[in-house]
Every structure is written in structure tokens, then in C-alpha cells.
Amino acid sequence: MKYLYYLLIYLSLISVSFAKNDANILNISEPTKYIAQDFDVLDYSAELEFPVLAEKSLIAVNEVTLRWLTRQDTSKFYFHLRGLNVDSVFYDAVKVQYSKVGDSTSATMHFEVAPPKSNLNDTAKIRIYYSGIMTNEGKLQPWGGVHYDDTLLYALGVGFLNNYVGTTQHWLACYDLPSDKATFHGKFIVPKGNNVAVGGELDSLDKSSDERDIYYYSYNYPPATYLLTFNIGELEELKFDGASVPISVFANPKDTTAARFAFKMVPEMVTYFSETFGPYPFTKVGYVLTKKGSMESQEMINYYKALCWSHYSKKDSSNTTAAHELSHMWFGNSVTPFDYRDAWLNESWATFSEALWMSHFANYSAYLSFLDSKRSLYINNLTKIEGVIPLYDFPRNSATSNYPSTIYMKGAVVVSMLRWKLGDSLFFRGLTGFLKKYKYSNMTSEMLQTLFEQISSKNLDQFFDQWVYNPGWPKINAKVIYRGMDGDNYLGETLILEQTQTEGWGFQKGGYFFDLPIEVTFKQKDGTRHDTVFYLNGDMKTVPLNQEKYYTLEINRGINQKALMETTGIEYLDATSVEESNSIANLHYSIFNKTLFINFVKSTNYELQIFDLLGNAIFNTQSYNSNEIIADLNSYINGVYYFIITANGKVLVKDKLILY
Ligand SMILES: [Zn+2]
């Protein structure tokens, strides 16, 4: 789905509760806690009659075909249903009791059905008869659930501001959690003359009655329940040729002019993504214009109607939102997280896909601009509203939501950094390998990391720890020291890059980010530019510039990549005015590898001596015409020592050193 405008989320602060209120609930998965179940749903076959669209009324029966994976005395089938009344439940054609667990405030409110003791079949067909008036998640910004707007009755499968996330349970009695994907057969009985837009394949259409039409649809590629939708009303189907699968956009006749324009690039999007991610995983591409949206319902995307008109009026056919939702067919729909802690696996990758689309639609510079706009919006605006939250298992209470904008904006830049770290060939091989391996099934962040590690032979613990599992971003202060000028340009001697954040973010919440690519642009007065990516490991790095010419410096605005970072300042310093006492640019002891790193502002001859408390010299190292000393102290026992650093024989610093 596409993020809501974050201001709306901010304005609708609500409090949601994920508290468990019943010991029984422990057996069922929660939105952010996957628990393996005794059953596996294989198929839902639902008969859904919509007598009066405007009333949102529904008369339904859903036949659930399931297989028992294990069968114990306590084994039960669970299903969710909100706002509708269960009339009766049959287990293999025998009427059975059912019980409701939790109330509407509970994140896990559901119904339980125990198999009759006499029935020991491995598979079962459970028929649930239910009816009533369909509702949605409510609250101030109702999104997930069922709506009737502009004569269209439609359903969106997730909500922003509820505590149960999946909202297909507002119209379908089902196990409404993403971990159990099942095929779906829908018999949609609608008032005569209305069209039905859903995913899957249209098996048949019965128009023999004077009062109603019946549409039979089959989803043969098992969707997660939150990816089901229906859209019923006066809808015209627009077909778009040019891709390997049929593409349709369903719109009210009033909106078809705008839709024809706004979606004209979709065939090229389908082709481009199929080449980039692997073959399109389903049989058709559908969009339907709805008043609320956008939502990546499988093969039938609910697309925000006002945005379609905005593209039309601006004559902008890039339509990154169409690309975002289309990319979800791979990220989220074919490959689905087990639970919503991993929502970033959908949204970060779909937003990154928008950037990819911009690189194809326009050029690589548009890709970087797109990412930079997300980076800037994230750091400068979002974090002030949503707080600083991680991509994985973020808090869901106000002022964030089930889909905080952080996972879109920060997430897209983080994915682009993984691309830069691995390089295109490994990144795209990992990406397509991942999508192929977990096609039509479920996955986790760990599985994603493992697959990229296998393909790249690189350990990605640090990358995932600092960017995915922990919050925050590096704040970079740069000092550039010059000695003399050449015409209008300064002659660079040393560049010092320093992480200045103090929030305890970064790798293992130790305060710093590692392997951070910082792209520095040396710009001369005549516009000549030179872009170089430096890698910062830990708090500070000193780089000799070898008389690199520049008039101004830019950071993270280069032509190669975009890092999730903030530039807090660039200082221009004259070397002759930098005091010798400032010669040590950085002195850093790493407990991870028990090593002392010392960087100096300029290159000359340095010596490091270390003494124990009795004054015995235990370590000595020298560097010649260098600006760095690295002392591996692994062979020394932990304890208190003293060290002296000299430059050309002159003492720069004496201090205590604690090895641990
Ligand atoms: Zn999305």
C-alpha cells in the first residue's frame, strides 16, 4: 500500500492496544507475532451476495478447506470476522458449536471451532454462514475494511489505525493473518448491471436473472487474505496492450479519460519489472479507481482516484504510485511476510521500486533525486512526527501506525544502500533469487539477509543491525583543511569526516554506523566536479587529499549513490592556522577488535609507545610520512596502561589507556 500523508496520521492520534486479554489467545498468531498453527487452510470458497450496495449488506457462506498438520485434543480452527453475525458453522456437513474469543477492542478477536471428536479426517471442510452490514476499521481516518463511495462498494485489506491490521475479516470469515495463504474462489452475486472487479481469473458470468448478475472468480495463486478485495459498481474496463500479461484498469465512466492517460506507462512498467525482478508472478494486472487507496490487492490494485486525476491534470505519466503497487505483486503478494513486524519487506522494497522505475522512466539522476527526496523528508519531517523508529518491528501506537511512513522513506534509501554495498550484479542476483526461492510463500527479514549473504559471500549482520533492526541515522560533520590555492580553487590537504550523533543509534546501539558510504563532491569554481565515495567506519576518518582542487565541497549529493545521513556542517580550515596541538584528528579504541586507531591531520613521522603501570614499555610502533597509526593490542591483557604519541620526536599527547 501507499503511505497516507503523514500529517493525517499525526492529526488522528489514537491509542491502540495489543494487550492479550485471554490465555486462549496465546494459541493464535497475533498481527506482530507469528505462531505456527495445527491447521493449514488450503482454500476458501465463498458465496457472497450483496443485495443493496449502498447499504453494504452481505449474505454469505464461506467454505474453508483445511488440512490438519498436527491433530491434538486441543486443536481448533480459528477464523476472524468483524462487524458481521455468524449464523451457523458446519464441520464436514455436521453442525458444530463455535465460540467467540475476545471483543472488538482485542487485536486477536476471533472464533474457534473444534473438530467433532468422532471426525478424525486429515482434511476438513468448514462452512461458515454469516450475514449483516459490512463495516470498516472506523476511527478518524477509516481506511481498511468496506466502503461505499461514489456508487462503488469496495474493500481494502489492511488498516492504518486499528490493532488487528488485516481488514478482510470485515467481509470474509477467514483466518485473516498473512502466514496462511490459500486459494480463493468467489461467487459474487450483485444487483443487475453492476460490474465486479477482483483479482484472479473470471471463470464464468451468469447474467440469466433479471435482478442480479453472478460473477465467478478464482485466485489460483494463493493470496494472503489481506490481499483480497472486491469492487462492485458501475465500472468500465479499459484494456492496455503491450505487456506479456493482460492489463485492465476499471474506472467509473466519469474517470476513464484521466485513467487512460495516467496508466499508459503500465505495460512498460510490467515489462521493466518482469525483467528486473523475474517473471510476473500472476496472470493479470488490474487497477480499479477507488476513493480511498492505494492498496496492492493481488492482481486488482485499489488505486487512489484523486491521484489519477492529479497525474492527468499535471500531464505526468510517470505514475510512481502505479509502479509502487505493481511492484508489490512481487514484494508482498507473491512473497509475503509471516507477520506484520516485517511490513518493511513490503513497503521499503516497493518504494525502492518507485526509484528503480524513475531510473527507467527518466534516468539514474532521477533515481537519486527520488531517493534524496525520501531521505530528506524522513530526516527533516517524519522523525519529528513518528519519532525515530526502526524498520523492523516498529512501535504501532500513535503517532505512528501499522504503516508508518518511515518504512517507506527511510526504507527505500536503506534498500538502495544495500544495492550500493553489494553492487548491481550481486544485488539483483540476490533480489531475483529471493523472489524465486520464496515465490507464493512466506518469509522473514532473516531469510532475506541469509539469501543475500549466500549470494554475495558477505556477512550482512552489521548492515541489517544498524539499518533495519536499530533506529536512527548518522549525522556527519566534515572538516576540509587546505594549504594554499591554485587560482580560484583551494588545494586540499586533509578531509576529516566525523559522526556527531549522540543518540546511541547505529551498530548494536553503540552510537556509530559502520561501512557508511559518504560521497564527497569537490567542485571547482568553473563547475568541474569530482565525486568520490569514502567509507566511514566508526566515529571519524581522516583522508589525505593530495592537493585535490575545490572551491566548494558537497556531501551526499554525488552522482553515484545516496546514503541515509544528514550533513550537519562543512568547515573549511587553513592548514597553517590549524595548531599543532590539534594534530590528532581522531583517537579511537575499538572494543570489538581491541585495536587503537589514531588519525592525524597531516602526514609526518609518528610514534606510539605504551607503558604498563610500572613504567615498562610494552608496545611501540612508528609510522613514516603517514597520517595514521593502527595498534593491534589483542596480545595484551586487559587493564590500565599509559601511552605517549610523538610527532618527529615531539610529544603530542600522554594519556591513560584502558584495555578491555
Ligand atoms: Zn505499498
Side-chain angles (χ1 to χ4, degrees), residues 372-391:
D372 194 52
S373 70
K374 301 298 171 203
R375 180 202 65 80
S376 166
L377 203 53
Y378 166 67
I379 290 174
N380 299 322
N381 302 72
L382 272 185
T383 54
K384 295 178 176 66
I385 295 167
E386 294 182 343
V388 182
I389 58 175
L391 295 179

Side-chain angles (χ1 to χ4, degrees), residues 1-3 294-296 321 324-325 327-328 331 343 346-351 354 403 408:
M1 64 199 288
K2 185 75 178 173
Y3 44 86
S294 299
M295 173 68 204
E296 68 271 22
T321 298
H324 176 110
E325 305 306 341
S327 76
H328 274 310
F331 299 103
N346 292 5
E347 302 308 341
S348 303
W349 291 77
T351 311
E354 294 180 59
Y403 291 89
Y408 298 75

